[in-house]
Amino acid sequence: MMQKRWRRLLAVFLASMLVLGACGGRDDDDGDAAPPDDDTPTDTADNGDDTDDTDDTDDTEPPGDPEPAPGFDGETIRLGVLTPTSGTVAVIGNPLTAGNQAYVDYLNEELGGIAGQYPVELVVEDSAYDPTTAGQRYAAISDDVVAFVQILGTPVVNALLPDLIEDNVIAGPASLDSAWIREPNLMPIGGPYQVQAINAVDWYFSQPENEGQVLCTLASDDEYGDTGVAGVEFAADNLGIDIAVQAEYPAPSPTRPAQTFESQIGQLEGGDCDVIFFVATPTDTAPLNTVLTENTDYNPTVLGQSPSWLGLFAGFEYLQENFFLASEGTNYGDESVPGMAELVRIKETYAPEQEPDLYFNFGYLQAMAMHQILEEAVARGDLSRDGMVDAMENVGTLSFDGVFGDYEYGPADERQPPTSSSFFRPDPDSPMGLDLVERDYEADYVGDFTFE
Amino acid sequence: MRAVLAPFGRGPSGGRPSRNLVLDYRDDLRIFPDRWARIGLVLLAFLYLWLPSQQVSDAGLRTLSTIGIFAIGAIGLNLLTGYTGQVSLGHAFFIGVGSYTAAYLGAELGWPFLVYVPAAALIGVGLGVVIGPFALRLRGHYLVIVTLGLIFLGRHIFNNWTSVTGGNRGTQIRGADMSIGPLDFSGLELFGTTYSREQSMFFLVWALVALTALLAKNLVRSRMGRAMQAVRDRDLSAEIIGVDLARTKVGAFAWSSAFACVAGVLSALQIRFAGADDFGLFLSITYVAIIIIGGVGTIFGAIVGSIFVVGSEELINQNSRSDWLGPLVSTGPTDAGWLSVGELNAILFGAFIVGFLLFEPRGLAALWFRAKAWFLTWPFSY
């Protein structure tokens, strides 16, 4: 009897709560124009209705100041950074973010912010290089940022893509995967990994002394490893050479034991490999150097993909003799390249304690790309989510003043990434530990590679 | 007991004792033994309906949903480890199987929610039945190592069964059905009101937490549950008094992996991505930590442990720029501070596991039970 009464009471209570709860709904469409706070200056010019999405901004009157929007309170533009500041991948995440920050400091201090009037602020969150954590951090700040200047890691970007698409937020992937090129919510920069690999293999075999050498690959068993291998396979097909051995190793993870590479090197040595294309992160470059140094009977050349490098490796003797890094741009401090001279100046001014670093450069260039898109969005008078996507589609060519190749933007299916690469050798006396061997090399057939 | 109390006559309490005493075996088996438990249930129902309103942001709701997903998985692990005494480090493998089931059956093949969720649970049962027999020949450290092997086996399968898992690239989960009858939990519409995805997800996840907790609670009250606990306490004695060891251990594996697969489905629906790297040893260790901190061998502890482990991480994240944590925590490479948010979380995570094992091996649940007992027996201490 008591049980029945309790059940009845509970049912009535739940029904009434459901009706009350119905008052608390909110749909996902947060709207692109957050209402300004009471203390937000509302001196924005009335630009009439903003339903015009056409590209011709030169018709009647110019658009006025942008309305407040998520991440923009009418004064400050906030940009998100989702990157590992802890764990093994923090060695990449920290210099990347330092590069983002140095450029933003320069933008605020010397240019007065976007359009000379809107300072930029970074909101940095630790993704732990983990999709679940990254998803939570994304949800925590996505309503408070105009866009994400940096999201590090192919797995993390993959995991956040549905959210980015649903919320129509743009983000800069700190990864050179070619999969990003056709994603309308992503802001890739630089030549993709596949392009690096194609150019590296073609460049290596274009040297007369390397003719007839046996080509092999050593790649992490993950999506990043697949990208490099895809490029090598494409180049090998075009050159009419075989890949003798395709060795793999477990991708880095918090619980993976230290990689020794002994079995993989045994496999590659057994295949008489003369040159190994190495797809890795810095975590695994040092153990590879160790095992090759100890094995005095086997001295293959290693072609490394850009994320395999850290400046400290320049001190490794084996790598000094037998390693080339495929990357982009020029030597650090090369004053003949205007963009590089400016990068060095800005680094010395705003991040003097930061060592010259490839990842710092990449982060700096990401912020430079976002700067160009934000300028376009402000010029169009719209910093909303939709406005940012429109600005990205209409920004034209993103220029990096020679530090990276220019990137032709437009609708995602028409984007054209840079297709040249540069090659470096380890040099302990050079900044970043790298010395340029060949700049802006481009295989004849690299344009035939399809970016799906 | 009742006979002993009879001579006390019929006072204002109708002849019943003034306190909630256990008078017979059925009292011990009640899920909601007294008025306070029922009031607690009503309060929980109120929270369930009130929290997703405007009071909690979508980010907060996402964290609460993550806590719920971990709670379902932890309830499953507690059935296996806490109630049956079979230590397993392979739990992440089953979570992964559930995630990929949602990705393939739900998103790829477009099966209805009410079909692919039970299918995931059944796949979990099947896998549990296959793996369970190992527990008949192995125990303790040996069983831990065998279940650890599942992680590596799973990783290989997840990375190479490309047509189902997307291989190394992983797979995105877009457009999977999330409807139960007229209720579509991808964006609930109720009484003319539209709820956000996070609100809808909260309703779905915590309804399933309640369902799985009830199911697990009933299971441990049943003959099967008593057999599980007998096996945990002394398997040889249990077998001598008639407990079917094989059926009990395999059954525990089956139930545990079914719950884990359901948690995996929900995880995939929330993150909308499944990649092999997400189902590694660290995830299994997290689940073990949850049941240790929450309380081994309690359903309630699995939920409390999830709140503590997942919630504390989020609490540190949210307060990383506050006055009290700011000087300690750096939020980026250019920020002063000794530790990153992730590093501080890792340190606290380890410290809490060690602390609980040393000072309160029965976990947070024991603290609650002790506090409850103090109030119930007040002013007496017994």
Side-chain angles (χ1 to χ4, degrees), chain A residues 3 6 10 13-14 17-19 21-22 24-28 85-86 94 97-98 101 123-126 131-133 135-137 139-140 154-155 158-159 161-163 165-166 177 179-180 221-223 226-227 251 255, chain B residues 35 38-39 41-42 45-46 49-50 52-54 56-59 61-63 66 155 159 168-169 172 174 190-191 193-197 199 271-273 278 281-282 313-314 317 321 331-334 340-343:
Chain A
Q3 291 274 348
W6 269 104
L10 187 63
F13 170 78
L14 289 178
M17 279 303 300
L18 264 176
V19 175
R26 55 178 179 268
D27 57 30
D28 279 320
T85 57
S86 60
N94 284 333
T97 309
Q101 189 66 60
V123 183
V124 183
E125 292 284 343
D126 185 1
T132 305
T133 307
Q136 280 174 228
R137 305 321 312 145
T154 301
N158 258 322
L161 252 180
D163 286 312
I165 291 165
E166 193 170 285
D177 194 323
W180 313 143
D221 185 15
D222 62 0
E223 63 265 51
D226 291 347
T227 59
T255 52
Chain B
R35 184 191 311 155
R38 294 189 196 105
I39 289 170
L41 177 67
V42 171
F46 169 78
L49 295 167
W50 177 75
S53 71
Q54 303 290 2
V56 180
S57 68
D58 275 349
L61 289 174
R62 189 174 179 126
T63 302
T66 304
R155 189 186 170 88
N159 270 335
N168 285 334
R169 178 160 286 281
Q172 288 184 9
R174 298 194 207 181
L190 216 57
F191 306 114
T193 305
T194 304
Y195 290 87
S196 74
R197 182 184 168 81
Q199 287 176 305
I271 302 171
R272 288 184 282 188
F273 176 77
D278 308 340
L281 184 58
F282 188 73
E313 186 176 336
E314 195 56 29
N317 269 317
R321 292 178 180 81
T331 52
T334 56
S340 73
V341 172
E343 286 162 345

Side-chain angles (χ1 to χ4, degrees), chain A residues 97-116:
Chain A
T97 309
N100 294 156
Q101 189 66 60
Y103 188 89
V104 165
D105 289 345
Y106 146 77
L107 174 63
N108 291 337
E109 291 291 323
E110 298 184 28
L111 306 181
I114 303 295

Side-chain angles (χ1 to χ4, degrees), chain A residues 242-322:
Chain A
D242 292 327
I243 304 171
V245 176
Q246 294 195 14
E248 286 185 338
Y249 65 93
S253 76
T255 52
R256 188 199 70 177
Q259 188 61 40
T260 62
F261 287 116
E262 280 167 10
S263 63
Q264 287 85 355
I265 290 300
Q267 190 185 352
L268 294 161
E269 189 177 7
D272 296 323
C273 302
D274 298 305
V275 54
I276 299 165
F277 192 86
F278 182 48
V279 192
T281 54
T283 315
D284 295 316
T285 306
L288 180 74
N289 170 74
T290 303
V291 73
L292 287 172
T293 303
E294 289 170 352
N295 186 344
T296 52
D297 297 331
Y298 181 53
N299 302 303
T301 301
V302 179
L303 296 177
Q305 190 117 291
S306 58
S308 63
W309 185 253
L310 276 185
L312 69 92
F313 299 154
F316 295 176
E317 271 183 45
Y318 185 89
L319 297 185
Q320 287 171 18
E321 299 294 324
N322 301 288

Side-chain angles (χ1 to χ4, degrees), chain A residues 64-89:
Chain A
D65 293 340
E67 293 287 326
F72 176 59
D73 59 3
E75 290 182 339
T76 304
I77 294 168
R78 302 179 90 218
L79 296 174
V81 173
L82 277 175
T83 195
T85 57
S86 60
T88 52
V89 192

